């Protein structure tokens, strides 16, 4: 192992120098991928020097998500203390299903879950679990709701028409999960949004009422804290009023921006969160831990147990259910995703998490200011969002983003809202500074002059 630890440090340092010297790796055309890199698996072993050279080549060509030119999708950067925790988790290699196998790592996971429940104002009987990503956190939420309102489904399967509700601009995992849980995509109702992309509670009420009249069983509403494209926040309090009126589960999908709970300045965006039945947040998005680190909490842990526990004598041989995390998990063997968030949180404190969140809004404000001051740009997004959506001159967003990528200038994506296409930059990497944001715009401007796009 000692040799490979040394090799690891060498490769990690190579990666860091690569991402400084060449922040956007030259993309390899998919047609040339298997010619350019020897990815083939052969019968014979590879000699060490070749192995190292090949790893370096792979590192060179792999997109650099921690560079100052990565604004593509909802993660980025490399926070050292969180990365340290993840590296340790790999070395320790525990499975989180039992206390016997994970020991104090169980306490680390539980501490994070309880602290988050406490911060959002959930009652004593709240608890949660970690998932392999936000889509899977949403999956567990809708599963708990299905089993709460229709407990016989677990054994007998679905017999009645259950319906669920989410805004027209929410994450695609909601529809996918509706098919996973046997309710079906056709039973997902898309709720209208206002011109900022926020769910209209009136339309929610209307659609639930109509479904009840037609003999459906509404059971679940998904609200979003930070919609995937615009970064909009659905109004939790008014949505909760409707959920209470019709007795349906309210989940808040905070995969993208749920981390505003750590900010005294921005937590008003999720006002009413204490009233939800479940809440999920991806620490690998705003909090900047390595992928993946997704958390699901629910106000009553009984629903977690009802939907997720199975007796397994071969597995649960010691300790109580509160310490055997496999009883409240989607998976059996499960990687330790908690340690990286714990090492980060422990070293910077809750105030440090707040600073991480606030800095991203500060960078977004700076980007919006820049756009508003420059007549060649048109802004499409709103305050209180870390998605900054815009067009430059009359250039197609798709064309611009693709050319910037192919020419190794910037990694940035495009999006669409109510028929309008635009560039979507996200200021989610809290390690960036103001200069990096200004450089982003300068790079676009210089690029457009130098090409005839
Ligand atoms: C990213 C995102 C998800 C999915 O999270 P993954 O970790 O990518 O599975 C779900 N909902 C929203 C709003 C997101 O932005």
């Amino acid at each position: 192992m000692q040799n490979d630890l040394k090799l690891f440090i060498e490769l990690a340092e190579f990666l860091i120098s690569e991402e400084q010297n060449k922040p956007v790796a030259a993309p390899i055309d998919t047609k040339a991928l298997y010619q350019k890199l020897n990815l083939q698996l052969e019968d014979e072993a590879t000699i060490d020097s070749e192995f190292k050279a090949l790893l370096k080549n792979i590192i060179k060509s792999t997109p650099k998500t921690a560079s100052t030119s990565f604004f593509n999708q909802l993660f980025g950067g490399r926070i050292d203390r969180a990365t340290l925790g993840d590296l340790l988790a790999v070395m320790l290699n525990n499975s989180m299903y039992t206390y016997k196998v994970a020991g104090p790592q169980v306490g680390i996971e539980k501490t994070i879950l309880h602290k988050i429940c406490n911060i959002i104002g959930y009652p004593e009987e709240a608890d949660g679990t970690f998932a392999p990503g936000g889509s899977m956190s949403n999956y567990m939420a809708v599963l708990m709701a299905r089993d709460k309102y229709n407990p016989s489904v677990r054994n007998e399967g679905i017999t009645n028409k259950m319906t669920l509700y989410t805004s027209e601009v929410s994450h695609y995992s909601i529809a996918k999960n509706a098919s996973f849980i046997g309710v079906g995509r056709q039973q997902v109702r898309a709720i209208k949004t206002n011109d900022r992309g926020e769910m209209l509670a009136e339309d929610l009420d209307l659609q639930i009422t109509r479904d009840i009249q037609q003999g459906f069983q509404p059971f679940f509403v998904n609200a979003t804290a930070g919609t995937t494209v615009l970064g909009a926040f659905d109004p939790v309090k008014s949505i909760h009023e409707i959920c209470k009126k019709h007795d349906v589960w309210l989940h808040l999908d905070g995969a993208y921006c749920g981390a505003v709970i750590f900010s005294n300045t921005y937590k008003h965006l999720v006002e009413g969160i204490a009233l939800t039945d479940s809440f999920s947040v991806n620490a690998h998005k705003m909090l900047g831990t390595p992928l993946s680190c997704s958390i699901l909490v629910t106000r009553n842990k009984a629903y977690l147990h009802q939907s997720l526990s199975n007796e397994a004598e071969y597995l649960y041989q010691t300790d109580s259910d509160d310490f055997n995390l496999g009883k409240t998990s989607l998976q059996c063997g499960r990687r330790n995703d908690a340690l990286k968030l714990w090492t980060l949180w422990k070293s910077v404190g809750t105030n440090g998490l707040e600073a991480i969140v606030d800095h991203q809004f500060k960078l977004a404000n700076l980007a919006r200011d820049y756009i508003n001051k420059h007549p060649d740009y048109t802004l499409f997004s709103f305050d209180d969002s870390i998605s900054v959506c815009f067009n430059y001159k009359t250039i197609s967003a798709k064309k611009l983003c693709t050319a910037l990528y192919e020419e190794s200038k910037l990694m940035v994506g495009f999006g669409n809202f109510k028929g309008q296409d635009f560039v979507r930059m996200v200021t989610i990497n809290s390690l960036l500074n103001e200069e990096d944001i200004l450089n982003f715009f300068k790079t676009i401007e210089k690029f457009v002059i130098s090409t005839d796009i």
Side-chain angles (χ1 to χ4, degrees):
M1 193 68 222
Q2 291 300 334
N3 281 340
D4 272 4
L5 280 180
K6 272 197 209 120
L7 176 60
F8 174 76
I9 291 174
E10 186 185 332
L11 293 172
E13 283 171 349
F14 176 72
L15 166 60
I16 289 166
S17 74
E18 273 296 304
E19 73 196 11
Q20 280 162 3
N21 301 334
K22 193 105 182 58
V24 183
I28 303 179
D29 194 288
T30 50
K31 287 189 216 73
L33 177 61
Y34 300 105
Q35 281 87 58
K36 280 226 159 161
L37 294 170
N38 177 16
L39 306 178
Q40 266 56 264
L41 299 166
E42 291 113 3
D43 290 340
E44 299 306 320
T46 307
I47 55 168
D48 284 359
S49 57
E50 247 175 61
F51 180 63
K52 183 161 106 179
L54 179 60
L55 285 177
K56 283 194 170 175
N57 260 338
I58 292 172
I59 290 171
K60 231 178 160 65
S61 316
T62 299
K64 302 298 182 299
T65 62
S67 87
T68 52
S69 302
F70 187 82
F71 297 88
N72 204 67
Q73 247 131 26
L74 311 179
F75 70 99
R78 183 186 302 110
I79 297 182
D80 43 15
R81 283 295 162 89
T83 307
L84 173 76
D86 212 13
L87 292 171
L88 273 177
V90 169
M91 293 296 286
L92 287 164
N93 198 33
N94 301 98
S95 176
M96 300 303 283
Y97 45 30
T98 61
Y99 188 76
K100 189 178 179 188
V101 172
Q105 302 298 324
V106 168
I108 283 174
E109 178 164 320
K110 283 283 177 190
T111 302
I112 292 172
L113 293 169
H114 291 155
K115 185 88 182 171
I116 288 178
C117 288
N118 190 266
I119 287 172
I120 66 177
Y122 272 178
E124 194 62 15
E125 60 276 13
D127 203 350
T129 183
F130 278 65
S135 303
M136 289 295 103
S137 286
N138 289 343
Y139 177 60
M140 283 190 273
V142 73
L143 199 63
M144 287 190 290
R146 184 198 68 177
D147 298 345
K148 175 184 177 187
Y149 290 104
N150 208 339
S152 68
V153 170
R154 288 193 71 196
N155 291 320
E156 293 161 23
I158 288 247
T159 49
N160 58 342
K161 290 254 182 197
M162 304 178 83
T163 46
L164 61 150
Y165 305 81
T166 190
S167 98
E168 57 190 354
V169 294
S170 62
H171 193 258
Y172 71 84
S173 58
I174 307 300
K176 199 162 129 176
N177 291 334
S179 78
F180 288 175
I181 63 165
V183 161
R185 286 171 187 262
Q186 278 178 18
Q187 274 60 254
V188 182
R189 306 286 184 255
I191 308 301
K192 292 193 187 112
T193 57
N194 63 16
D195 56 9
R196 296 170 54 107
E198 301 157 352
M199 189 196 289
L200 291 168
E202 310 87 81
D203 191 46
L204 176 66
D205 194 17
L206 203 86
Q207 296 213 42
I208 293 181
T209 306
R210 193 165 53 206
D211 279 332
I212 293 171
Q213 283 163 358
Q214 296 182 351
F216 289 101
Q217 185 194 4
F219 76 105
F220 178 84
V221 171
N222 175 72
T224 308
T227 56
T228 309
V229 173
L230 282 184
F233 290 81
D234 287 336
V236 179
K237 257 179 125 172
S238 40
I239 292 171
H240 170 257
E241 285 300 311
I242 312 298
C243 293
K244 198 169 74 180
K245 176 173 152 193
H246 297 290
D247 187 23
V248 297
W249 186 286
L250 174 56
H251 173 65
L252 182 61
D253 174 5
Y256 182 13
C257 297
V260 293
I261 59 168
F262 295 107
S263 165
N264 285 310
T265 314
Y266 293 99
K267 67 182 178 197
H268 70 91
L269 297 169
V270 291
E271 199 192 342
I273 190 171
L275 303 165
T276 60
D277 296 287
S278 55
F279 165 65
S280 55
V281 55
N282 277 358
H284 67 252
K285 287 185 173 171
M286 280 190 101
L287 295 182
T289 70
L291 284 155
S292 48
C293 188
S294 183
I295 292 152
L296 170 77
V297 288
T298 177
R299 64 184 300 110
N300 187 345
K301 66 181 174 190
Y303 295 114
L304 260 181
H305 283 271
Q306 169 168 272
S307 293
L308 296 163
S309 78
N310 267 299
E311 287 310 318
E313 207 194 336
Y314 81 91
L315 188 62
Y316 304 113
Q317 297 176 339
T318 65
D319 308 298
S320 74
D321 281 2
D322 273 340
F323 287 87
N324 287 328
L325 303 183
K327 294 253 171 145
T328 48
S329 163
L330 268 185
Q331 299 146 273
C332 178
R334 179 162 63 90
R335 130 178 248 290
N336 179 1
D337 284 334
L339 185 57
K340 54 192 156 195
L341 176 55
W342 187 87
T343 50
L344 171 65
W345 199 335
K346 188 79 180 169
S347 60
V348 302
T350 310
N351 294 340
L353 299 186
E354 175 176 37
I356 287 173
V357 169
D358 287 354
H359 185 65
Q360 292 164 57
F361 282 101
K362 191 177 147 202
L363 294 179
N365 289 339
L366 185 86
R368 273 188 294 269
D369 272 358
Y370 185 92
I371 289 168
N372 281 328
K373 283 196 188 116
H374 288 72
D376 286 341
Y377 290 88
T378 323
L379 183 69
F380 292 99
S381 53
F382 307 97
D383 288 352
D384 292 340
S385 161
I386 62 163
S387 292
V388 182
C389 302
F390 66 90
N391 275 325
Y392 182 57
K393 296 188 170 166
T394 53
I395 305 169
S396 135
K398 182 178 178 182
K399 249 182 154 170
L400 180 61
C401 294
T402 308
L404 286 165
Y405 159 67
E406 285 173 351
E407 302 296 322
S408 302
K409 300 294 181 201
L410 285 172
M411 295 281 282
V412 61
F414 51 90
N416 177 291
F417 179 67
K418 302 204 168 169
Q420 180 67 56
D421 290 315
F422 40 66
V423 179
R424 179 192 61 162
M425 85 169 310
V426 289
T427 56
I428 201 150
N429 178 354
S430 64
L431 299 175
L432 297 186
N433 56 37
E434 301 188 359
E435 202 185 313
D436 297 318
I437 302 300
L438 297 179
N439 274 338
F440 169 87
F441 293 110
K442 298 287 172 227
T443 305
I444 292 181
E445 291 156 22
K446 257 174 43 196
F447 179 71
V448 168
I449 290 173
S450 69
T451 53
D452 53 350
I453 186 165

